[in-house]
């Protein structure tokens, strides 16, 4: 009985998610009608989207290898903090990252001041190179973490065996590290490629123009400025095909390294010599500087103005927090229902698993355009801005939270499924006494992730919002666009504070209530 | 009476048949090589493994429609018999009311049973703070509270030393006598069977043989049992 109840709820949630993702798509395709030819500008946008994503992914992974290697084989003060910091950019609102990069690399930024002081030509942070710079800034840490995980997944026994066989560093690299990289890099690259494929906020702020417009940005411009819904629909169709294709490829390409399970001792990598040490020090210092610089710049510039932010900023912050909390609640409920049903591994589990990952094959602006088309005949889209934002946020963070919960739900089922059933422990009592306490840790972490992603999201809201429904990231972007940079920095600092604060609070709650 | 009516358990290449009965309140040892299907036989009674054909009946009633929790059965697994995040008293309380909304009388019952199995004052502890023997006692205490007419033991004491195991078997004996339960106990050790069970079921080569009186069986083992004992 408990099982069927779980399955029914899971199926209901799966149907709702599928509808949320597919209905807008149908609306888009309906509107696009006969497939119109790509205009010159559109083909250019498509081309730019592809090559900037490829370059960003390649650069991020390439630069991440020495950093991950240094972190894997050196023990130093602040190593733990640095690895934690590597997780931060995933939670960092994109608009804040952009502001930080402008402060460091912009026209009057630190780098250009330095270059000008020694009489060298200055750089510009706008255009294609700016978009790629921002993508590397946001995704390098992700690549480092994925590759570091690969390094740490090599069992310590293998390194000890290599040592006892008298392997030189080159042989360790050849027999242990290179196979791992071959297995891990394509996956890391593909994930970052997809993330950059749907880049909107960065292209909006640093790109634009014929040479640096992504498909997402083109969709936005078609809706917002040209009000050419047919063209927007066509672009959204292109974007969906692109994402779906790549997302499908990812599941095929991504392989796990073929190392057996180790006994869990800490890796015992030992490297001697001055040159490797110099390379490692350089890699870590450069990465820390590159990642910390922009964050420090925001803090320095934003802190003075924090006390005198205009009321509109606070109002937007309130709206953003409300949107984030509602999105988080809905994401959590939906992910939990899906994860528990799939863990039951009954009929339909594969379908539900597919549905939970379906949003990965779409993008915020595609969903947004579709929902825009759906509501536009009946309601003024701007009146639904926040509701639509919540819906899109839930759809986009669902796959991540679901992925966090599923393995834990499977462990719960394997360890205590039979015991619960034999004690007739089911339904709400089971949820309250067993599932929630035992899943508290991933639930807290997932909630933190969903809240931070939702808080910092600048995507679909740009399509719908009016002044009365602007969220904090949109207000920051507006302030930047009107060159009120000090106020923008203050608001950005507030945004970072709330994002990280929400993440920390949820994660802390989860760890605090985690069953032991 | 527990009856297997031409029951066939099957999964992939695995196959196990049983067609016999055993009276209520009996003590039965289930013995046989690893992988022969001893645990699966117990899982079929407990409701975790549906027979491919045939029936399992308790007092003449087919158990097939009943969910595991609704069967007249308490089962002790090899491990994970207690929820690690709940206290010992809560773990016991689950045996009385799965939603843990216990009345004062039920709470008193839990305390009394804790006392009875030698865990007095340990109700507020988490399972991690108990020794292996104490965990076994707690699981048996819950069986006592549930007082179901069939008690299935799927080697819950396999990890204990000989002295502790003997202690546990004595406690099982007490629990079974008090609740009048039929006990089916999986074991690898002929000594356990001889010490505890009047009947022994040999599970081997795809068949759960009908229960045979333990002493004569071990005194003059048939070829299949001889092959297992070595």
């Amino acid at each position: 009985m408990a099982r069927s109840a779980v399955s029914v709820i899971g199926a209901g949630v799966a149907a709702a998610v599928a509808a949320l993702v597919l209905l807008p798509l149908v609306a888009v395709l309906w509107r696009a009608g006969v497939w119109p030819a790509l205009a010159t500008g559109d083909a250019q946008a498509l081309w730019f989207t592809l090559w900037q994503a490829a370059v960003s992914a390649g650069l991020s992974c390439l630069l991440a290898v020495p950093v991950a290697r240094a972190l894997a084989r050196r023990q130093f003060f602040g190593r733990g903090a640095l690895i934690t910091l590597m997780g931060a950019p995933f939670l960092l609102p994109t608009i804040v990252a952009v502001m930080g990069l402008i402060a460091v690399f912009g026209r009057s930024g630190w780098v250009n001041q330095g270059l000008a002081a020694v009489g060298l030509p200055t750089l510009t942070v706008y255009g294609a190179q700016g978009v790629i710079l921002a993508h590397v800034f946001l995704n390098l840490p992700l690549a480092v973490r994925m590759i570091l995980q690969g390094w740490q997944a090599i069992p310590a026994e293998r390194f000890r065996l290599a040592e006892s066989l008298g392997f030189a560093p080159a042989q360790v690299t050849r027999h242990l590290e290179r196979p791992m990289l071959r297995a891990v890099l394509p996956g890391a690259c593909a994930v970052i490629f997809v993330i950059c494929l749907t880049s909107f906020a960065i292209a909006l702020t640093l790109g634009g123009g014929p040479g640096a417009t992504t498909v997402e940005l083109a969709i936005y411009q078609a809706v917002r400025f040209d009000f050419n819904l047919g063209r927007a629909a066509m672009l959204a169709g292109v974007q969906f095909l692109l994402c779906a294709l790549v997302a499908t490829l990812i599941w095929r390409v991504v392989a796990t390294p073929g190392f057996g399970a180790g006994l869990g001792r800490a890796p015992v990598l030992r490297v001697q010599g001055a040159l490797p040490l110099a390379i490692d020090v350089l890699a870590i210092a450069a990465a820390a500087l590159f990642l910390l610089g922009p964050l420090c710049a925001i803090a320095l510039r934003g802190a003075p103005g924090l006390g005198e932010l205009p009321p509109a900023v606070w109002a937007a912050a309130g709206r953003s927090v409300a949107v984030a909390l509602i999105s988080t609640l809905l994401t959590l409920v939906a992910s939990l229902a899906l994860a528990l049903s799939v863990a039951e591994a009954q009929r339909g589990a594969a379908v539900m698993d597919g549905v939970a990952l379906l949003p990965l094959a779409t993008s915020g602006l595609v969903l947004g355009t579709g929902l825009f088309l759906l509501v536009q005949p009946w309601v003024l889209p701007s009146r639904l801005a926040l509701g639509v934002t919540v819906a899109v946020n839930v759809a986009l963070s669902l796959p991540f939270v679901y992925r966090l919960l599923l393995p834990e739900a499977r462990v719960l089922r394997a360890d205590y499924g039979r015991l619960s059933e034999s004690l007739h422990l089911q339904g709400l009592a089971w949820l309250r006494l067993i599932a929630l306490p035992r899943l508290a840790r991933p639930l807290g972490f997932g909630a933190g992730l969903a809240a931070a992603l939702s808080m910092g999201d600048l995507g679909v809201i740009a399509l719908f919002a009016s002044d009365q429904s602007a969220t904090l990231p949109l207000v920051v972007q507006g302030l930047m666009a009107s060159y009120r940079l000090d106020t923008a920095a203050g608001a950005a600092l507030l945004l970072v504070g709330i994002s990280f604060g929400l993440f920390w609070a949820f994660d802390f709650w989860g760890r605090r209530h985690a069953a032991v | 009476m527990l009856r297997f009516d031409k029951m066939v358990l099957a999964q992939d290449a695995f196959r196990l048949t049983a067609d016999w009965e055993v009276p209520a309140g009996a003590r039965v040892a289930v013995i046989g090589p690893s992988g022969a299907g001893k645990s699966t036989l117990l899982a079929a009674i407990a409701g975790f493994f549906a027979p491919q054909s045939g029936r399992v009946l308790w007092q003449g009633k087919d158990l097939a429609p009943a969910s595991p929790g609704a069967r007249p059965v308490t089962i002790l697994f090899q491990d994970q018999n207690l929820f690690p995040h709940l206290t010992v008293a809560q773990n016991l309380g689950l045996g009385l009311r799965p939603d843990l909304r216990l009345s004062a009388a039920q709470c008193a019952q839990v305390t009394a049973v804790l006392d009875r199995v030698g865990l007095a004052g340990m109700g507020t502890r988490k399972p991690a703070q108990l020794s292996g023997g104490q965990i076994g006692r707690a699981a048996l205490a819950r069986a006592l509270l549930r007082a179901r007419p069939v008690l299935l033991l799927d080697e819950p004491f396999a990890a204990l030393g000989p002295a502790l195991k003997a202690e546990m078997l004595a406690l099982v004996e007490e629990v079974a006598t008090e609740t009048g339960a039929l006990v089916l106990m999986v074991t690898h050790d002929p000594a356990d069977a001889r010490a505890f069970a009047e009947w022994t079921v040999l599970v081997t080569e795809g068949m759960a043989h009908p229960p045979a009186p333990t002493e004569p069986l071990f005194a003059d083992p048939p070829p299949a049992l001889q092959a297992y004992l070595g």
Side-chain angles (χ1 to χ4, degrees):
Chain A
M1 258 179 288
R3 300 175 111 195
S4 61
V6 164
S7 300
V8 168
I9 295 170
V13 169
V17 172
L20 179 61
V21 174
L22 296 178
L23 275 186
L25 198 67
V26 170
V28 159
L29 295 178
W30 185 271
R31 178 70 191 220
V34 283
W35 200 249
L38 285 174
T40 339
D42 301 336
Q44 211 172 9
L46 182 59
W47 171 237
F48 176 71
T49 303
L50 285 171
W51 83 256
Q52 64 79 19
V55 171
S56 303
L59 268 181
S60 300
C61 287
L62 209 64
L63 296 175
V65 171
V67 182
R69 185 178 55 193
L71 285 171
R73 65 189 188 185
R74 303 287 170 192
Q75 195 69 48
F76 55 91
F77 178 75
R79 178 175 178 268
L82 192 61
I83 292 177
T84 309
L85 178 78
M86 294 283 172
F90 192 67
L91 304 174
L92 188 68
T94 319
I95 191 73
V96 177
V98 168
M99 282 213 63
L101 287 169
I102 290 177
V104 174
F105 297 97
R107 198 172 310 149
S108 53
W110 297 346
V111 170
N112 278 332
Q113 280 176 8
L115 287 173
V118 294
L120 287 170
T122 54
L123 310 166
T124 172
V125 74
Y126 295 97
Q129 68 267 41
V131 171
I132 290 168
L133 177 74
H135 281 160
V136 172
F137 173 77
L138 285 171
N139 293 307
L140 175 68
L142 183 63
V144 169
R145 279 174 75 99
M146 289 172 83
I147 297 169
L148 182 61
Q149 219 161 45
W151 240 291
Q152 288 178 339
I154 303 178
E157 289 81 353
R158 301 299 147 83
F159 286 111
R160 275 214 304 273
L161 180 63
E163 253 183 300
S164 73
L165 292 173
F167 277 18
Q171 284 153 338
V172 172
T173 304
R174 182 174 151 207
H175 293 295
L176 293 177
E177 299 178 331
R178 220 171 282 157
M180 179 279 290
L181 287 175
R182 254 205 303 278
V184 171
L185 279 179
C189 230
V191 167
I192 295 173
F193 183 76
V194 174
I195 293 175
C196 297
L197 217 50
T198 57
S199 176
F200 169 68
I202 287 172
L204 176 70
T205 44
L206 295 177
T213 296
T214 58
V215 178
E216 288 279 281
L217 183 57
I219 296 173
Y220 166 76
Q221 288 165 344
V223 175
R224 195 77 182 180
F225 300 136
D226 309 338
F227 207 72
N228 186 342
L229 290 180
R231 182 154 164 271
M234 188 267 299
L235 285 165
V238 168
Q239 176 76 331
F240 176 80
L241 281 182
L242 206 58
C243 291
L245 201 70
V246 175
T248 326
L249 276 179
I250 284 190
W251 300 122
R252 292 180 184 270
V253 168
V254 177
T256 42
F259 298 111
L263 293 175
R265 259 156 290 184
V268 278
L269 265 167
R270 270 181 236 154
V271 189
Q272 269 131 23
L275 185 64
L277 181 65
I279 294 174
D280 286 353
V281 169
L282 195 68
I284 290 174
L289 205 63
F290 178 50
L291 295 175
L292 280 173
L295 292 178
C296 292
I298 290 282
L300 288 177
R301 181 137 196 200
L306 210 50
E308 41 210 71
L309 289 172
V313 169
W314 292 107
R319 278 191 290 271
S320 275
V321 169
V323 165
L325 291 179
I326 297 169
S327 307
T328 303
L329 180 69
L330 292 174
T331 307
L332 226 50
V333 170
S335 313
L336 185 64
L338 285 172
L340 290 175
S341 322
V342 172
E344 289 276 346
Q346 290 186 321
R347 239 165 0 116
V351 176
M352 280 190 259
D353 188 55
V355 168
L357 301 175
L358 194 61
L360 289 177
T362 186
S363 76
L365 269 280
V366 172
L367 283 182
T369 310
L371 291 169
F372 195 101
L373 294 172
L374 283 175
V375 302
Q376 182 237 351
W378 291 284
V379 203
L380 205 60
S382 63
R383 291 187 54 192
L384 295 178
L386 295 180
V388 167
T389 305
V390 166
V392 172
N393 283 342
V394 170
L396 294 184
S397 42
L398 179 81
F400 296 103
V401 180
Y402 166 78
R403 274 275 159 134
L404 277 173
L405 288 176
L406 182 62
E408 307 278 343
R410 287 202 163 124
V411 168
L412 177 67
R413 166 124 193 91
D415 285 356
Y416 301 108
R418 285 188 167 189
L419 177 57
S420 303
E421 280 181 53
S422 76
L423 290 170
H424 226 252
L425 195 51
Q426 58 184 12
L428 287 176
W430 175 78
L431 198 66
R432 171 172 60 90
L433 292 171
I434 311 300
L436 291 182
R438 295 221 64 83
L439 297 177
R441 189 183 292 268
L443 278 172
F445 184 74
L449 206 62
L453 286 178
S454 174
M455 189 71 207
D457 175 63
L458 172 56
V460 68
I461 186 70
L463 209 56
F464 279 79
S466 60
D467 287 345
Q468 285 76 44
S469 56
T471 57
L472 192 49
L474 191 62
V475 167
V476 173
Q477 190 260 329
L479 288 168
M480 274 172 70
S482 54
Y483 294 102
R484 293 170 60 192
L485 291 183
D486 286 322
T487 316
L493 197 58
L494 179 67
L495 178 56
V496 180
I498 299 175
S499 293
F500 286 7
L502 283 176
F503 173 78
W504 180 84
F506 279 119
D507 187 43
F508 179 77
W509 169 87
R511 278 181 287 138
R512 173 101 191 268
H513 288 87
V516 279
Chain B
M1 176 193 306
L2 180 72
R3 192 155 88 86
F4 295 100
D5 176 24
K6 298 192 185 66
M7 181 193 71
V8 179
L9 303 175
Q11 188 173 50
D12 304 325
F14 172 83
R15 204 178 145 81
L16 185 74
T17 61
D19 187 24
W20 40 265
E21 56 189 43
V22 58
R27 314 264 190 279
V28 184
V30 179
I31 200 163
S34 327
K38 305 185 293 292
S39 293
T40 314
L41 182 71
L42 261 57
I45 305 170
F48 297 119
F49 199 107
Q52 188 187 52
S53 64
R55 297 180 297 168
V56 185
L57 303 109
W58 172 250
Q59 310 295 31
K61 231 179 105 192
D62 188 1
L63 286 179
S67 69
R71 296 192 177 205
V73 170
T74 290
I75 181 165
L76 265 61
F77 305 102
Q78 208 159 51
D79 46 22
Q80 321 274 32
N81 283 304
L82 302 180
F83 290 106
H85 63 285
L86 300 179
T87 64
V88 173
Q90 284 177 313
N91 268 293
L92 262 58
L94 290 174
L96 292 172
R97 264 198 83 153
D99 64 2
L100 279 186
R101 301 191 199 282
L102 301 184
S103 66
Q106 285 170 319
C107 288
Q109 223 180 326
V110 169
T111 313
V113 167
L114 277 171
D115 204 18
R116 166 97 170 59
V117 300
L119 293 177
M122 299 198 186
T124 54
R125 293 199 190 176
K126 295 276 179 75
Q129 296 165 287
L130 299 186
S131 69
Q134 288 169 330
I135 288 177
R137 287 171 181 280
L140 280 170
R142 190 171 59 207
L144 207 52
L145 286 172
R146 279 167 62 85
R148 302 280 166 117
V150 179
L151 178 58
L152 306 175
L153 304 175
D154 192 1
E155 297 192 88
F157 314 124
L160 301 181
L164 262 180
K165 196 157 79 171
E167 225 177 90
M168 286 302 136
L169 287 182
L171 189 57
V172 169
E173 179 71 50
E174 273 182 55
V175 170
T177 310
E178 197 168 316
T179 56
L182 160 66
V183 182
L184 270 86
M185 177 178 76
V186 170
T187 180
H188 276 107
D189 188 352
D192 287 351
R194 302 174 86 147
F196 173 79
E198 66 222 83
W199 301 94
T200 293
V201 166
L202 176 65
V203 179
T204 184
E205 287 160 3
M207 184 172 170
H209 294 266
T214 303
E215 277 307 325
L217 185 73
F218 282 104
D220 180 23
L225 183 56
Q226 205 145 35
Y228 171 66
L229 295 173

